[in-house]
Amino acid sequence: MNILLKSARILDTQNQSLHGKVRDIWIKNGRIEKIASSVSPEARTKVIERPNLHVSKGWIDSSVSFGEPGYEERETLAHGARVAALSGFTDVVLNPNTHPIPDTSGDIVFINKTAAGKGARVHPMGALTRASAGTDLSEMYDMKKAGAVAFYDFKSPVGQSNLLKIALQYAQGFDALVLSFPMDSSIAATGTVNEGNTSTQLGLKGIPALAEEIQIARDLYILEYTGGKLHIPTISSSGAVALIGEAKKKGLDVTCSVAIHNLYYTDEVLVDFDTNFKVMPPLRTSKDREALRKGLKNGVIDMVTSDHMPIDIEEKRVEFDRAAYGSLGLESSFGILNSIFGPDKTVDLLTAGHKRFGLPAPAIKEGEPVSLSLFNPEGDHLITKESLESTSKNSMYAGRKVKGLVYGSVTGQQVFLKK
């Protein structure tokens, strides 16, 4: 299929010769054939024109959950990949939190085959330990050969320090990335929200930032001893930013991400006990939120994630303490970030992360494979449950007005555009 993006403004801060320029982009057989002020389309060319059309390199999300296998009622792999593509994402890193938990090469092969060609490219992570039980290492080497991009016990802390030490040492033999969830379970205990004024007022059990910071400090000490590559997903506190900043100054190979909702909300939104705001790690204070935003601006925090997690209504429409953790996020990512940072910084944040997960970085250049996100950064857009493409509807952003609108994405010869 031939595709022509007509009069598209290119946002690419790393390519100043094109950044901010309006160009036609002609795509032929999955590659960028020509970028010019005007291109006359050949026969059988799909011409894409949209109001104030902007394009950037394809976006990536480093922490996405769907459901299949085991929880197809939440979201199937095929439909989830399509939702991601319509939300502007060309690549998503899939969390290992299905049933069964992917801890063998066969599990990774199943995910890759099932999701292939359905939308955004889905890159599965494998469990770090068998069944994510935190006892024995999984078949990491075999899963890496089968296509796993990293290893992670999703939202489950590595409680045994020696196990993390062994994992980091073992992973170096095949250049694997290890993830460690930043939470000390003994301190977090049965808490559900940030420990502070709000938790006290609402009578909810709290999780202090200390639980996150102690775990990160331990992990960084182990990393300094072992070497290897460590990624700390979804940090939420100002202390975490400071710890990781110091580790980077030492030259440790550590990266981290922050969930977009921790950049936007604070725990004060919990006043109505809306379970869509129940996430892990929890929403924290305005001081933490500002530290996280600053950490992104100065480069201590490497990437953002929607931490997208579809959940059945039956698991959300219950008492707050009993409700499942998680919120949708893919479809609102651009609008929320654009409302906070503006389009240039938003695109920079959404295009970070490919290299860390061993994925080829897209480029807007003639001859390169096509991986493009399409959007309009201007205007207000109201997020409603009715507008959500996801199967589940547990979005903490429903009813929020954000800046900008995503049109979709183009990956290879596949075009995914919202109506």
Side-chain angles (χ1 to χ4, degrees):
M1 178 194 294
N2 293 340
I3 303 164
L4 179 63
L5 302 180
K6 196 69 179 171
S7 301
R9 187 175 299 277
I10 298 170
L11 294 191
D12 186 355
T13 59
Q14 296 178 347
N15 184 352
Q16 289 301 316
S17 65
L18 286 177
H19 181 59
K21 305 294 194 303
V22 176
R23 296 287 186 268
D24 287 358
I25 303 175
W26 180 29
I27 299 163
K28 186 175 182 180
N29 298 325
R31 291 185 177 272
I32 298 175
E33 182 75 13
K34 190 174 183 180
I35 302 173
S37 298
S38 180
V39 176
S40 298
E42 293 183 349
R44 292 180 296 180
T45 294
K46 180 180 179 66
V47 179
I48 298 175
E49 295 182 275
R50 289 290 189 278
N52 196 30
L53 176 61
H54 284 58
V55 301
S56 73
K57 295 180 291 187
W59 304 341
I60 182 171
D61 193 325
S62 62
S63 179
V64 168
S65 301
F66 291 142
E68 186 180 9
Y71 305 107
E72 287 82 358
E73 70 279 3
R74 297 178 181 176
E75 193 78 273
T76 64
L77 284 164
H79 192 262
R82 180 177 176 275
V83 169
L86 290 172
S87 304
F89 291 90
T90 57
D91 297 88
V92 295
V93 178
L94 188 67
N95 291 312
N97 60 332
T98 52
H99 183 73
I101 288 172
D103 59 3
T104 69
S105 59
D107 297 325
I108 300 301
V109 169
F110 168 80
I111 293 169
N112 281 329
K113 285 186 175 180
T114 305
K118 301 300 192 301
R121 291 177 290 246
V122 175
H123 308 283
M125 287 189 281
L128 182 67
T129 63
R130 292 179 184 174
S132 290
T135 304
D136 301 303
L137 289 182
S138 63
E139 299 176 6
M140 294 169 62
Y141 178 70
D142 289 343
M143 284 192 284
K144 177 77 183 293
K145 289 198 298 182
V149 296
F151 301 95
Y152 178 32
D153 288 347
F154 179 70
K155 305 287 187 184
S156 296
V158 183
Q160 297 184 31
S161 299
N162 191 54
L163 188 65
L164 180 62
K165 177 179 78 73
I166 293 170
L168 286 166
Q169 290 172 328
Y170 176 53
Q172 292 176 61
F174 46 100
D175 194 32
L177 178 64
V178 171
L179 277 69
S180 178
F181 184 64
M183 187 71 70
D184 185 303
S185 297
S186 63
I187 295 177
T190 58
T192 57
V193 299
N194 178 59
E195 183 176 272
N197 292 336
T198 299
S199 65
T200 302
Q201 292 168 4
L202 300 179
L204 296 171
K205 294 180 180 179
I207 301 173
L210 177 69
E212 177 170 299
E213 292 152 11
I214 281 183
Q215 190 81 357
I216 290 175
R218 183 209 69 168
D219 291 354
L220 294 173
Y221 271 116
I222 294 173
L223 178 66
E224 188 171 9
Y225 177 81
T226 61
K229 299 194 298 186
L230 179 67
H231 180 71
I232 302 174
T234 59
I235 67 171
S236 66
S237 69
S238 58
V241 178
L243 286 165
I244 294 168
E246 288 301 314
K248 288 189 171 187
K249 289 178 182 177
K250 291 181 180 180
L252 300 186
D253 192 351
V254 60
T255 53
C256 65
S257 67
V258 59
I260 293 170
H261 47 250
N262 286 99
L263 298 168
Y264 191 65
Y265 292 113
T266 69
D267 59 357
E268 293 178 0
V269 298
L270 298 171
V271 64
D272 294 324
F273 294 93
D274 186 341
T275 57
N276 286 325
F277 291 104
K278 185 180 179 182
V279 289
M280 181 60 69
L283 301 173
R284 298 202 186 271
T285 67
S286 57
K287 175 187 174 184
D288 294 305
R289 181 177 64 180
E290 292 309 308
L292 294 168
R293 291 183 181 184
K294 184 178 179 181
L296 280 171
K297 292 176 181 177
N298 63 25
V300 171
I301 302 176
D302 301 272
M303 61 194 81
V304 297
T305 172
S306 69
D307 210 22
H308 178 84
M309 194 169 182
I311 298 293
D312 291 346
I313 191 171
E314 290 84 0
E315 295 181 75
K316 280 293 189 180
R317 192 174 289 175
V318 294
E319 295 87 347
F320 196 93
D321 283 343
R322 295 175 53 209
Y325 291 99
S327 171
L328 300 182
L330 277 170
E331 297 177 71
S332 50
S333 293
F334 175 79
I336 295 294
L337 289 172
N338 191 35
S339 299
I340 300 171
F341 296 108
D344 285 2
K345 182 62 176 178
T346 293
V347 167
D348 286 346
L349 294 174
L350 290 173
T351 52
H354 292 87
K355 183 179 179 180
R356 190 56 169 171
F357 288 89
L359 303 173
I364 303 178
K365 184 179 179 182
E366 292 179 359
E368 289 290 318
V370 175
S371 181
L372 298 172
S373 301
L374 283 57
F375 55 96
N376 177 358
E378 301 300 330
D380 292 331
H381 173 63
L382 180 66
I383 300 172
T384 65
K385 286 190 176 182
E386 293 73 25
S387 68
L388 295 172
E389 298 279 351
S390 297
T391 302
S392 298
K393 304 299 179 183
N394 58 303
S395 174
M396 64 168 68
Y397 302 106
R400 297 300 189 277
K401 188 175 288 186
V402 296
K403 187 177 180 181
L405 177 68
V406 176
Y407 292 131
S409 61
V410 182
T411 305
Q413 298 187 60
Q414 291 186 301
V415 178
F416 294 90
L417 292 176
K418 291 183 178 179
K419 295 179 180 179

